[in-house]
Amino acid sequence: FFFFFFFFKQKTAYEMLRSLVGSEMCIRDSINAEYMGSRHILKLSWLFPDTRMLYKSKPLFYLTFLAGHEGPNSLLSYLLDEELALSLTSSVSHKEANTSFFNTTIELTEKGLNEYMKVVEIVTAYMNLIKHKEPQAYIFEENAAMSKLTFDYKSQPEVFDYITDLACTLQDYKEQDVSDVLVGPYTLEEFDAELIGSLMRERLKPENMLVALLSKTCAAETNLEEKWYKSKYSVQD
């Protein structure tokens, strides 16, 4: 059993919106894009400093663990109860040098699509809640245990794909750490509550958030076209 203490117990996230978000609800950038599939996707991304060298502590994995939890009192359970979402995933990505992104991707219902800014506010309220809570060692330890299980029972990948991934990953390790390249993506050894807390407080802010809404219904609202795939989109500052 894994036991979680989440932060919707006294009030629901939406009841907290005015006090938690208030005048801070000033989003950095918003993108609307035509989506070729039938789903409606809302992706929220926060920009962080590059954390790839911190592979033994993985501070952003703490956030993905909390935001991606699917049990009672979780962010997803609230969105499901409100009939705003069908699924939610959380991830870390590294798209450019010297940067990392913490992402929360939500598949919206029709109601969620029509009220997607309410979903943005709920997620923002949740992030405000967790960033003001002291990081807990037991959450890190549960995440570490799950990562170890994933590594121990990992299925054999396609050889070519695996070698390609390893070659790309080598640049993320210092010379003295290169021997960790195989296990590094699954390593969680150093719990740094101070680092996790400071990153959350400094970066989990609406003004540091990119909102991307992907849906066929966005086509009528777009005024730009991507060069290679001709996808239609619009950007709002």
Side-chain angles (χ1 to χ4, degrees):
F1 280 99
F2 293 138
F3 295 92
F4 301 86
F5 180 78
F6 282 82
F7 314 115
F8 290 104
K9 297 212 173 189
Q10 299 302 319
K11 297 181 181 180
T12 65
Y14 199 64
E15 289 171 328
M16 296 180 177
L17 288 179
R18 299 306 176 192
S19 60
L20 287 172
V21 181
S23 61
E24 292 185 2
M25 196 61 186
C26 180
I27 297 169
R28 179 172 180 167
D29 289 299
S30 178
I31 298 174
N32 286 3
E34 182 182 12
Y35 187 64
M36 300 310 294
S38 59
R39 300 186 299 163
H40 313 301
I41 304 297
L42 178 65
K43 183 174 183 178
L44 310 180
S45 300
W46 290 261
L47 178 65
F48 281 80
D50 194 346
T51 61
R52 278 173 285 192
M53 294 295 181
L54 302 172
Y55 69 94
K56 291 186 178 180
S57 60
K58 293 184 177 63
L60 298 188
F61 274 50
Y62 186 90
L63 294 179
T64 64
F65 195 66
L66 290 179
H69 177 50
E70 299 180 351
N73 301 312
S74 65
L75 174 59
L76 176 60
S77 68
Y78 182 80
L79 293 172
L80 290 172
D81 288 344
E82 294 292 304
E83 299 181 348
L84 296 169
L86 297 172
S87 64
L88 181 150
T89 59
S90 191
S91 64
V92 176
S93 59
H94 311 282
K95 299 179 181 178
E96 299 178 11
N98 303 317
T99 61
S100 295
F101 285 90
F102 164 58
N103 311 295
T104 296
T105 304
I106 302 166
E107 182 177 356
L108 301 172
T109 61
E110 290 293 334
K111 178 183 177 182
L113 175 64
N114 294 330
E115 302 179 26
Y116 81 92
M117 280 307 300
K118 177 179 176 179
V119 178
V120 173
E121 290 177 339
I122 291 170
V123 175
T124 304
Y126 182 80
M127 298 306 169
N128 270 289
L129 283 169
I130 64 175
K131 78 180 184 181
H132 289 110
K133 297 290 183 179
E134 188 70 23
Q136 300 296 310
Y138 79 92
I139 294 177
F140 177 86
E141 291 164 1
E142 290 173 1
N143 203 357
M146 293 174 66
S147 292
K148 185 178 185 303
L149 285 172
T150 300
F151 178 76
D152 289 345
Y153 295 96
K154 182 176 174 61
S155 58
Q156 184 172 340
E158 293 291 333
V159 174
F160 180 80
D161 292 340
Y162 190 53
I163 293 174
T164 302
D165 290 342
L166 285 179
C168 294
T169 304
L170 280 171
Q171 64 185 323
D172 298 337
Y173 294 84
K174 297 178 182 178
E175 184 177 351
Q176 64 269 27
D177 297 327
V178 74
S179 59
D180 289 338
V181 68
L182 295 178
V183 72
Y186 307 92
T187 298
L188 277 170
E189 297 177 351
E190 301 170 358
F191 175 57
D192 192 334
E194 183 176 352
L195 175 61
I196 294 170
S198 64
L199 286 174
M200 289 196 298
R201 290 188 296 272
E202 293 170 9
R203 297 287 177 162
L204 282 183
K205 300 176 180 179
E207 59 267 30
N208 189 43
M209 177 174 64
L210 172 66
V211 176
L213 179 64
L214 312 175
S215 173
K216 278 186 177 180
T217 63
C218 293
E221 303 172 9
T222 58
N223 58 0
L224 299 170
E225 186 176 81
E226 192 270 332
K227 180 179 179 180
W228 303 108
Y229 294 98
K230 308 302 181 184
S231 300
K232 295 180 174 62
Y233 69 99
S234 62
V235 179
Q236 299 177 5
D237 297 329

